[in-house]
Amino acid sequence: MGRKIFRSGNSTVVSLPTEVLEILQIAPGDEVTVIAEPEHRRIVITPIETNLPGVRQDFLEQVDRFIDRYRPALDKLAHE
């Protein structure tokens, strides 16, 4: 299935078909690794597993909200 590469702001982008996202169980906002395999002229995109054993999903969501809310203060603390 062919896709076009295009510019979006300062980024170069390739759109991914919905059926591929569904098969890989990934969605916008999920993290992936992108590896170039020049010997085969190919790019490999792999989902990053974000589940942590023993950590509940609702706790991770609370941490994300905390970081979003207090990012300026956390950035300032990180640079002091």
Side-chain angles (χ1 to χ4, degrees):
M1 136 183 0
R3 307 305 285 184
K4 279 206 181 243
I5 296 174
F6 60 94
R7 301 284 287 162
S8 177
N10 291 330
S11 298
T12 303
V13 179
V14 170
S15 65
L16 301 174
T18 301
E19 55 269 19
V20 170
L21 297 175
E22 289 172 354
I23 290 167
L24 296 177
Q25 299 180 351
I26 57 177
D30 289 350
E31 292 189 40
V32 297
T33 59
V34 179
I35 299 171
E37 293 185 350
E39 65 278 6
H40 299 290
R41 288 186 46 94
R42 111 175 120 195
I43 299 167
V44 178
I45 300 172
T46 307
I48 295 175
E49 185 61 47
T50 57
N51 294 335
L52 300 173
V55 179
R56 293 189 345 243
Q57 185 62 34
D58 64 321
F59 175 74
L60 295 175
E61 291 167 3
Q62 289 175 356
V63 170
D64 283 342
R65 285 194 300 274
F66 177 88
I67 290 171
D68 287 344
R69 181 173 181 184
Y70 295 105
R71 180 163 307 282
L74 294 169
D75 286 344
K76 188 174 179 182
L77 286 170
H79 292 99
E80 288 185 2

